[in-house]
Amino acid sequence: MNKYKLLTNLRGLMTPDPSQLWKVDTLDDPNIAISEGRIAWIGRRSDLPSEYSKYEQLDCMGRWATPGFVDPHTHLLFGGDRSQEFNRRLHGATYADIAAEGGGIRETVRATRLATVAELVDIGESRLQKMRSKGILHVECKTGYGLELESESRLLQAYSELIERGWSLDITIMPAHDIPVEYAGRADEYIRMVSEEWQPELVRRFPKVASFCDIFVEAGVFTSDHGRQVLESGRKLGLKPRIHADEFVHTGGAELAAELGAASADHLMFCSEKGMADMARAGVVPTLLPATTLFLGMKDFAPARAMIDAGCKVALASDFNPGSCACIDPLLILRLACLQLRMTFEEAFTAMTLHPAQSLHRNDIGHLFQGAKAELLLWDVKHPLELVYWMGEAYMPEIVSPR
Ligand code: NIG
Ligand code: FE
C-alpha cells in the first residue's frame, strides 16, 4: 500500500464514535484520507481539504466502509475437534456430563499436547485467514488446551510466531481453563502451581507476548478464590485480568471481575444485578458470547439489555473453541445479538468493534476516526443494516489494509 491514499466513491461510512457512549455515526458520500497507515481525515466528499485531493485515489465502487470486527474472546489454538461429542449432545448428553466423564476440554487437551509448534502455527494461520476473510481484523487468543507447562509454552511460542507473521493479536495466558487429569481432585494445588510457578515462568520465557490472564470460574471447576489467586498473581506479572464468569450458574464471577478491575468478564448468562452494577462502576467490559449459548443449546441468552441499562459498555465475541462454539461467523454473532440479546443494530455493531477494542486497551482499532489504524472493511450493500436483515446471506467484505 502506498504511503498516501484517498478512498473515494463510497456510498457511505459507519463508525462508532469513541468519544461518546453508544454513538454510531453514518455519513453519505464520504471520503477517507489515509496517511502512513493511519486515518488522517474522514468527512463528506464536498468538505475534502485540498491537501488530500492530491492523494492517490482508491475507487471503492459505491460500497460502505466500516471498521473491522474485533473478536475479544477466542481459544484459537487447539488440536483435534469434538464433532463426536457434539453428536452425543444431540443424543441427550449434556456438556457437563461429557466433562465429568473426562471428555470435553480434557479431550482437546490430549490432542493439543500432541501438536508441534509448527502444526499449531499452521492451524492458527488457516483459522485466522478464515476470520479475516469474514471481516475480523483483530483477535484475542487464549492458551488453555495445554494445561502443563511445556504444552502451554508451545501454545505461546505458536502465538508469538503468528504475531511475527503479521497477525494482529492479543494473547491471554489461561492454564486455569480446566483441572488437568494429573491434578484431578486437587484444584487448590493446581491453582497454586499456576499462580506461583507456571504464570511467572511463561512470562519469563515469552516476555512481551501475552498481555492478559484468564480463568474459568465455574461450579465444579474453579472458585472465585481460585480466580482471585490466579488473576492477582498475573497482575503482579503485568498481565491484565479477564474472567470466564457466570456461564452455567451464578458464581459471582462478574463481582470478582469488578473487585479486581478486570478488563472483561465473559459469558455472563447467569450474571446477577449486583454483578452488572459492579461491572459498570469498575469499567469492566461484559463480553457476551451468544453463538456459544446457541451451540450449547441453552435458552438463557445473557441479559444484554439489563447490562446496557446498568451502564455497561457491552462487547460481543465468538468464543471460538472446539467444545462450546465451533464457529467462525461474525455475522451470526451480530444477528444473534440483535435477535436474541435484543440489542439494536447500532449497539451490536458497536459491541463488535469499539467496545472489544477498548476491552483490549487498544484505542486505534474498532472505529474510523482520525488516528485509527487504516485497516477497514468495504461492504457491497445499500446500507449496513442489510448484514443483519438478509439473515442467511454470507456477505464477504473487501479489506483495505496496509498489510
Ligand atoms: O469459553 N468455558 C470454558 N471454556 C470454553 C469451552 C472450552 C471447551 O469446551 O473446549 C468456553 O466456552
Ligand atoms: Fe471461552
Side-chain angles (χ1 to χ4, degrees):
M1 183 167 167
N2 288 350
K3 263 169 96 182
Y4 306 109
K5 195 156 268 179
L6 183 67
L7 274 54
T8 60
N9 191 17
L10 285 160
R11 183 188 284 262
L13 163 162
M14 185 167 88
T15 177
D17 178 347
S19 71
Q20 292 181 65
L21 189 59
W22 294 117
K23 183 160 177 291
V24 172
D25 289 347
T26 54
L27 210 54
D28 295 333
D29 195 17
N31 276 182
I32 300 175
I34 292 174
S35 167
E36 314 263 353
R38 300 268 148 193
I39 291 181
W41 184 86
I42 55 168
R44 285 238 157 69
R45 179 167 58 109
S46 50
D47 298 333
L48 184 73
S50 60
E51 57 191 294
Y52 300 121
S53 58
K54 300 180 205 79
Y55 280 21
E56 187 206 336
Q57 296 196 5
L58 178 74
D59 180 351
C60 296
M61 307 200 315
R63 285 171 291 187
W64 270 81
T66 72
F69 296 127
V70 176
D71 192 336
H73 182 142
T74 80
H75 303 257
L76 184 79
L77 289 184
F78 56 84
D81 72 72
R82 305 228 297 273
S83 47
Q84 293 303 325
E85 165 188 318
F86 177 73
N87 196 27
R88 281 198 59 209
R89 286 204 286 112
L90 300 182
H91 284 265
T94 68
Y95 184 84
D97 293 339
I98 293 165
E101 290 164 12
I105 294 179
R106 284 180 181 175
E107 175 72 26
T108 301
V109 168
R110 284 190 281 277
T112 307
R113 285 179 178 179
L114 295 173
T116 64
V117 172
E119 285 165 346
L120 292 169
V121 170
D122 281 354
I123 291 171
E125 188 122 65
S126 81
R127 291 174 186 159
L128 287 167
Q129 255 148 14
K130 195 173 287 180
M131 289 178 178
R132 189 173 173 83
S133 71
K134 297 183 181 194
I136 302 169
L137 302 186
H138 184 84
V139 184
E140 183 266 7
C141 308
K142 302 175 198 298
T143 74
Y145 287 112
L147 307 192
E148 64 184 10
L149 184 59
E150 296 311 319
S151 309
E152 289 288 304
S153 206
R154 278 200 293 283
L155 290 167
L156 280 176
Q157 177 68 41
Y159 281 132
S160 127
E161 290 182 25
L162 288 166
I163 291 169
E164 268 165 39
R165 290 183 186 199
W167 292 101
S168 182
L169 310 178
D170 273 305
I171 308 303
T172 299
I173 294 183
M174 194 181 181
H177 190 195
D178 198 3
I179 306 163
V181 266
E182 299 83 356
Y183 283 83
R186 296 187 292 143
D188 291 351
E189 237 177 279
Y190 183 62
I191 287 300
R192 206 173 320 115
M193 177 69 101
V194 168
S195 313
E196 291 171 16
E197 298 190 27
W198 292 6
Q199 277 188 164
E201 179 60 14
L202 291 168
V203 170
R204 194 191 63 74
R205 289 186 192 180
F206 302 96
K208 293 218 166 64
V209 175
S211 322
F212 298 95
C213 53
D214 196 342
I215 177 167
F216 186 22
V217 173
E218 189 60 52
V221 191
F222 299 117
T223 63
S224 272
D225 280 345
H226 292 146
R228 200 173 284 108
Q229 233 175 297
V230 166
L231 300 176
E232 275 180 350
S233 98
R235 210 165 40 184
K236 288 194 192 114
L237 300 162
L239 304 171
K240 289 153 270 180
R242 314 184 81 80
I243 306 186
H244 280 64
D246 303 328
E247 179 177 359
F248 295 100
V249 290
H250 174 252
T251 54
E255 290 85 338
L256 177 66
E259 177 196 321
L260 298 175
S264 73
D266 304 36
H267 284 290
L268 302 173
M269 274 108 92
F270 296 93
C271 183
S272 71
E273 274 179 29
K274 177 174 183 308
M276 296 180 208
D278 286 0
M279 288 191 294
R281 206 175 316 110
V284 175
V285 176
T287 299
L288 311 183
L289 316 165
T292 302
T293 315
L294 178 77
F295 196 87
L296 290 175
M298 293 169 74
K299 288 183 200 66
D300 297 290
F301 282 83
R305 283 254 61 86
M307 290 175 187
I308 294 170
D309 291 346
C312 294
K313 280 188 180 183
V314 171
L316 293 159
S318 69
D319 194 22
F320 173 68
N321 76 74
S324 68
C325 194
C327 175
I328 296 177
D329 187 353
L331 293 185
L332 175 67
I333 294 165
L334 196 65
R335 290 160 179 167
L336 287 173
C338 293
L339 296 169
Q340 294 286 359
L341 300 184
R342 319 261 320 254
M343 296 173 81
T344 65
F345 171 64
E346 292 78 7
E347 285 168 345
F349 173 71
T350 304
M352 298 210 39
T353 51
L354 182 66
H355 290 176
Q358 291 176 336
S359 95
L360 295 167
H361 299 166
R362 293 189 178 257
N363 59 18
D364 64 346
I365 54 174
H367 66 87
L368 296 180
F369 277 74
Q370 196 186 17
K373 194 169 160 191
E375 213 181 18
L376 51 94
L377 309 179
L378 297 177
W379 300 94
D380 190 9
V381 290
K382 290 194 191 67
H383 189 282
L385 250 178
E386 286 175 35
L387 302 177
V388 171
Y389 174 72
W390 296 111
M391 262 221 13
E393 211 57 45
Y395 294 96
M396 300 288 263
E398 188 160 318
I399 299 165
V400 175
S401 166
R403 277 184 79 198

